[in-house]
Short mmCIF file of all heavy atoms in Angstrom, two decimals:
data_model
loop_
_atom_site.label_atom_id
_atom_site.label_comp_id
_atom_site.label_asym_id
_atom_site.label_seq_id
_atom_site.Cartn_x
_atom_site.Cartn_y
_atom_site.Cartn_z
N TRP A 1141 -34.64 -14.56 -11.87
CA TRP A 1141 -36.06 -14.18 -11.85
C TRP A 1141 -36.43 -13.33 -13.05
O TRP A 1141 -37.53 -13.43 -13.58
CB TRP A 1141 -36.41 -13.46 -10.54
CG TRP A 1141 -36.19 -14.35 -9.38
CD1 TRP A 1141 -35.24 -14.22 -8.41
CD2 TRP A 1141 -36.89 -15.58 -9.08
NE1 TRP A 1141 -35.31 -15.27 -7.52
CE2 TRP A 1141 -36.31 -16.12 -7.91
CE3 TRP A 1141 -37.94 -16.28 -9.68
CZ2 TRP A 1141 -36.75 -17.32 -7.33
CZ3 TRP A 1141 -38.37 -17.47 -9.11
CH2 TRP A 1141 -37.79 -17.98 -7.96
N TYR A 1142 -35.50 -12.50 -13.45
CA TYR A 1142 -35.75 -11.68 -14.65
C TYR A 1142 -35.94 -12.59 -15.86
O TYR A 1142 -36.87 -12.42 -16.65
CB TYR A 1142 -34.56 -10.73 -14.86
CG TYR A 1142 -34.72 -9.84 -16.06
CD1 TYR A 1142 -35.41 -8.63 -15.97
CD2 TYR A 1142 -34.20 -10.21 -17.31
CE1 TYR A 1142 -35.57 -7.81 -17.07
CE2 TYR A 1142 -34.35 -9.39 -18.42
CZ TYR A 1142 -35.05 -8.20 -18.29
OH TYR A 1142 -35.20 -7.39 -19.39
N LYS A 1143 -35.08 -13.57 -15.98
CA LYS A 1143 -35.15 -14.45 -17.14
C LYS A 1143 -36.39 -15.36 -17.10
O LYS A 1143 -36.98 -15.66 -18.12
CB LYS A 1143 -33.89 -15.31 -17.24
CG LYS A 1143 -32.70 -14.51 -17.78
CD LYS A 1143 -31.51 -15.39 -18.05
CE LYS A 1143 -30.75 -15.64 -16.77
NZ LYS A 1143 -29.54 -16.44 -16.94
N ASN A 1144 -36.75 -15.80 -15.92
CA ASN A 1144 -37.83 -16.78 -15.84
C ASN A 1144 -39.22 -16.19 -15.64
O ASN A 1144 -40.21 -16.86 -15.92
CB ASN A 1144 -37.53 -17.80 -14.74
CG ASN A 1144 -36.38 -18.71 -15.11
OD1 ASN A 1144 -36.42 -19.42 -16.10
ND2 ASN A 1144 -35.31 -18.64 -14.34
N ILE A 1145 -39.29 -14.97 -15.14
CA ILE A 1145 -40.61 -14.35 -14.97
C ILE A 1145 -40.76 -13.12 -15.88
O ILE A 1145 -41.83 -12.86 -16.41
CB ILE A 1145 -40.85 -13.96 -13.49
CG1 ILE A 1145 -40.88 -15.22 -12.61
CG2 ILE A 1145 -42.16 -13.18 -13.34
CD1 ILE A 1145 -41.09 -14.96 -11.13
N GLY A 1146 -39.68 -12.38 -16.03
CA GLY A 1146 -39.76 -11.12 -16.78
C GLY A 1146 -39.66 -9.95 -15.82
O GLY A 1146 -39.66 -10.14 -14.60
N GLU A 1147 -39.57 -8.74 -16.38
CA GLU A 1147 -39.24 -7.60 -15.52
C GLU A 1147 -40.29 -7.31 -14.45
O GLU A 1147 -39.98 -6.71 -13.44
CB GLU A 1147 -38.98 -6.34 -16.37
CG GLU A 1147 -40.19 -5.87 -17.15
CD GLU A 1147 -39.87 -4.66 -18.04
OE1 GLU A 1147 -38.94 -4.76 -18.85
OE2 GLU A 1147 -40.55 -3.65 -17.86
N ASP A 1148 -41.50 -7.78 -14.66
CA ASP A 1148 -42.50 -7.49 -13.62
C ASP A 1148 -42.42 -8.41 -12.41
O ASP A 1148 -43.26 -8.34 -11.51
CB ASP A 1148 -43.92 -7.36 -14.18
CG ASP A 1148 -44.34 -8.60 -14.93
OD1 ASP A 1148 -43.49 -9.48 -15.13
OD2 ASP A 1148 -45.53 -8.68 -15.29
N TYR A 1149 -41.35 -9.23 -12.34
CA TYR A 1149 -41.15 -9.98 -11.09
C TYR A 1149 -41.00 -9.00 -9.93
O TYR A 1149 -41.38 -9.30 -8.79
CB TYR A 1149 -39.94 -10.92 -11.19
CG TYR A 1149 -38.58 -10.27 -10.97
CD1 TYR A 1149 -38.01 -10.22 -9.71
CD2 TYR A 1149 -37.86 -9.73 -12.04
CE1 TYR A 1149 -36.75 -9.63 -9.52
CE2 TYR A 1149 -36.63 -9.14 -11.86
CZ TYR A 1149 -36.08 -9.10 -10.59
OH TYR A 1149 -34.85 -8.52 -10.40
N ILE A 1150 -40.50 -7.81 -10.22
CA ILE A 1150 -40.27 -6.81 -9.16
C ILE A 1150 -41.60 -6.34 -8.58
O ILE A 1150 -41.82 -6.36 -7.37
CB ILE A 1150 -39.45 -5.63 -9.72
CG1 ILE A 1150 -38.03 -6.12 -10.06
CG2 ILE A 1150 -39.42 -4.46 -8.73
CD1 ILE A 1150 -37.10 -5.06 -10.59
N GLU A 1151 -42.48 -5.97 -9.45
CA GLU A 1151 -43.76 -5.47 -8.94
C GLU A 1151 -44.59 -6.58 -8.32
O GLU A 1151 -45.27 -6.39 -7.32
CB GLU A 1151 -44.47 -4.66 -10.04
CG GLU A 1151 -45.59 -5.28 -10.75
CD GLU A 1151 -46.18 -4.28 -11.77
OE1 GLU A 1151 -45.42 -3.63 -12.51
OE2 GLU A 1151 -47.41 -4.17 -11.79
N LYS A 1152 -44.48 -7.75 -8.87
CA LYS A 1152 -45.21 -8.88 -8.27
C LYS A 1152 -44.69 -9.17 -6.86
O LYS A 1152 -45.47 -9.37 -5.93
CB LYS A 1152 -45.07 -10.12 -9.15
CG LYS A 1152 -45.87 -9.96 -10.44
CD LYS A 1152 -45.94 -11.22 -11.25
CE LYS A 1152 -46.99 -11.04 -12.34
NZ LYS A 1152 -46.50 -11.39 -13.67
N ALA A 1153 -43.38 -9.17 -6.72
CA ALA A 1153 -42.78 -9.47 -5.41
C ALA A 1153 -43.22 -8.43 -4.37
O ALA A 1153 -43.53 -8.76 -3.22
CB ALA A 1153 -41.27 -9.51 -5.52
N LEU A 1154 -43.24 -7.18 -4.77
CA LEU A 1154 -43.66 -6.13 -3.84
C LEU A 1154 -45.11 -6.35 -3.41
O LEU A 1154 -45.45 -6.24 -2.23
CB LEU A 1154 -43.48 -4.75 -4.48
CG LEU A 1154 -42.01 -4.29 -4.63
CD1 LEU A 1154 -41.89 -3.17 -5.66
CD2 LEU A 1154 -41.44 -3.83 -3.28
N LYS A 1155 -45.95 -6.69 -4.37
CA LYS A 1155 -47.36 -6.91 -4.04
C LYS A 1155 -47.56 -8.12 -3.13
O LYS A 1155 -48.33 -8.08 -2.18
CB LYS A 1155 -48.18 -7.09 -5.33
CG LYS A 1155 -48.38 -5.78 -6.09
CD LYS A 1155 -49.18 -6.02 -7.36
CE LYS A 1155 -49.36 -4.74 -8.15
NZ LYS A 1155 -49.66 -5.03 -9.57
N TRP A 1156 -46.86 -9.20 -3.44
CA TRP A 1156 -47.00 -10.40 -2.59
C TRP A 1156 -46.53 -10.12 -1.16
O TRP A 1156 -47.13 -10.58 -0.20
CB TRP A 1156 -46.18 -11.58 -3.19
CG TRP A 1156 -46.73 -12.11 -4.47
CD1 TRP A 1156 -48.05 -12.19 -4.84
CD2 TRP A 1156 -45.98 -12.63 -5.58
NE1 TRP A 1156 -48.14 -12.74 -6.11
CE2 TRP A 1156 -46.90 -13.02 -6.58
CE3 TRP A 1156 -44.62 -12.83 -5.83
CZ2 TRP A 1156 -46.51 -13.59 -7.80
CZ3 TRP A 1156 -44.22 -13.39 -7.03
CH2 TRP A 1156 -45.15 -13.76 -8.01
N THR A 1157 -45.45 -9.38 -1.05
CA THR A 1157 -44.93 -9.07 0.29
C THR A 1157 -45.94 -8.22 1.06
O THR A 1157 -46.24 -8.49 2.22
CB THR A 1157 -43.59 -8.32 0.20
OG1 THR A 1157 -42.71 -9.05 -0.66
CG2 THR A 1157 -42.95 -8.17 1.56
N HIS A 1158 -46.44 -7.22 0.39
CA HIS A 1158 -47.40 -6.32 1.04
C HIS A 1158 -48.66 -7.06 1.48
O HIS A 1158 -49.21 -6.80 2.55
CB HIS A 1158 -47.76 -5.19 0.07
CG HIS A 1158 -48.68 -4.18 0.68
ND1 HIS A 1158 -48.27 -3.34 1.69
CD2 HIS A 1158 -49.98 -3.87 0.43
CE1 HIS A 1158 -49.30 -2.56 2.04
NE2 HIS A 1158 -50.34 -2.86 1.28
N LYS A 1159 -49.08 -7.97 0.65
CA LYS A 1159 -50.29 -8.73 0.96
C LYS A 1159 -50.10 -9.55 2.25
O LYS A 1159 -50.99 -9.65 3.08
CB LYS A 1159 -50.60 -9.66 -0.21
CG LYS A 1159 -51.90 -10.37 -0.07
CD LYS A 1159 -52.46 -10.84 -1.41
CE LYS A 1159 -53.73 -11.63 -1.16
NZ LYS A 1159 -53.60 -13.03 -1.57
N GLU A 1160 -48.92 -10.09 2.39
CA GLU A 1160 -48.65 -10.96 3.54
C GLU A 1160 -48.43 -10.16 4.82
O GLU A 1160 -48.79 -10.60 5.90
CB GLU A 1160 -47.41 -11.81 3.22
CG GLU A 1160 -47.47 -13.21 3.68
CD GLU A 1160 -48.78 -13.91 3.40
OE1 GLU A 1160 -49.19 -14.09 2.23
OE2 GLU A 1160 -49.42 -14.29 4.40
N ASP A 1161 -47.81 -9.02 4.74
CA ASP A 1161 -47.60 -8.17 5.92
C ASP A 1161 -47.76 -6.70 5.54
O ASP A 1161 -46.79 -6.00 5.25
CB ASP A 1161 -46.21 -8.43 6.52
CG ASP A 1161 -46.05 -7.71 7.86
OD1 ASP A 1161 -46.98 -6.96 8.25
OD2 ASP A 1161 -45.01 -7.89 8.52
N PRO A 1162 -49.00 -6.23 5.56
CA PRO A 1162 -49.28 -4.86 5.10
C PRO A 1162 -48.58 -3.79 5.92
O PRO A 1162 -48.45 -2.66 5.45
CB PRO A 1162 -50.81 -4.74 5.28
CG PRO A 1162 -51.32 -6.10 5.50
CD PRO A 1162 -50.21 -6.95 5.99
N ASN A 1163 -48.11 -4.12 7.12
CA ASN A 1163 -47.45 -3.10 7.93
C ASN A 1163 -45.95 -3.02 7.74
O ASN A 1163 -45.30 -2.08 8.21
CB ASN A 1163 -47.73 -3.33 9.42
CG ASN A 1163 -49.19 -3.11 9.73
OD1 ASN A 1163 -49.81 -2.20 9.19
ND2 ASN A 1163 -49.76 -3.97 10.55
N ALA A 1164 -45.38 -4.00 7.09
CA ALA A 1164 -43.92 -3.95 6.88
C ALA A 1164 -43.60 -2.90 5.82
O ALA A 1164 -44.35 -2.72 4.86
CB ALA A 1164 -43.43 -5.32 6.43
N LYS A 1165 -42.49 -2.22 6.02
CA LYS A 1165 -42.05 -1.26 5.01
C LYS A 1165 -41.28 -2.00 3.92
O LYS A 1165 -40.44 -2.85 4.22
CB LYS A 1165 -41.12 -0.22 5.63
CG LYS A 1165 -41.85 0.74 6.54
CD LYS A 1165 -40.88 1.80 7.03
CE LYS A 1165 -41.52 2.65 8.10
NZ LYS A 1165 -42.03 3.92 7.59
N LEU A 1166 -41.55 -1.66 2.68
CA LEU A 1166 -40.93 -2.39 1.58
C LEU A 1166 -39.88 -1.54 0.86
O LEU A 1166 -40.14 -0.41 0.46
CB LEU A 1166 -42.01 -2.83 0.58
CG LEU A 1166 -43.22 -3.56 1.19
CD1 LEU A 1166 -44.06 -4.17 0.08
CD2 LEU A 1166 -42.80 -4.63 2.18
N PHE A 1167 -38.71 -2.15 0.69
CA PHE A 1167 -37.58 -1.45 0.08
C PHE A 1167 -37.05 -2.16 -1.16
O PHE A 1167 -37.10 -3.37 -1.28
CB PHE A 1167 -36.41 -1.35 1.08
CG PHE A 1167 -36.56 -0.23 2.07
CD1 PHE A 1167 -37.47 -0.31 3.11
CD2 PHE A 1167 -35.79 0.93 1.95
CE1 PHE A 1167 -37.63 0.73 4.02
CE2 PHE A 1167 -35.94 1.97 2.85
CZ PHE A 1167 -36.85 1.87 3.88
N ILE A 1168 -36.50 -1.35 -2.05
CA ILE A 1168 -35.64 -1.84 -3.12
C ILE A 1168 -34.24 -1.38 -2.73
O ILE A 1168 -34.03 -0.19 -2.44
CB ILE A 1168 -36.05 -1.23 -4.48
CG1 ILE A 1168 -37.41 -1.79 -4.92
CG2 ILE A 1168 -34.97 -1.52 -5.53
CD1 ILE A 1168 -37.92 -1.23 -6.25
N ASN A 1169 -33.31 -2.32 -2.68
CA ASN A 1169 -31.96 -2.03 -2.19
C ASN A 1169 -30.96 -2.23 -3.32
O ASN A 1169 -31.09 -3.18 -4.10
CB ASN A 1169 -31.67 -3.01 -1.04
CG ASN A 1169 -30.43 -2.72 -0.25
OD1 ASN A 1169 -30.21 -1.58 0.20
ND2 ASN A 1169 -29.59 -3.73 -0.05
N ASP A 1170 -29.98 -1.35 -3.44
CA ASP A 1170 -29.00 -1.58 -4.51
C ASP A 1170 -27.68 -0.89 -4.22
O ASP A 1170 -27.57 -0.06 -3.31
CB ASP A 1170 -29.55 -1.14 -5.87
CG ASP A 1170 -29.11 -2.07 -7.01
OD1 ASP A 1170 -27.94 -2.51 -7.02
OD2 ASP A 1170 -29.94 -2.38 -7.89
#
Side-chain angles (χ1 to χ4, degrees):
W1141 298 112
Y1142 180 86
K1143 284 187 278 182
N1144 291 300
I1145 296 179
E1147 64 183 55
D1148 57 352
Y1149 81 92
I1150 293 181
E1151 104 178 46
K1152 289 189 168 130
L1154 288 161
K1155 287 179 182 158
W1156 291 326
T1157 308
H1158 183 68
K1159 187 158 176 243
E1160 219 45 62
D1161 188 355
N1163 293 321
K1165 289 185 189 261
L1166 310 191
F1167 279 74
I1168 291 179
N1169 190 50
D1170 217 319

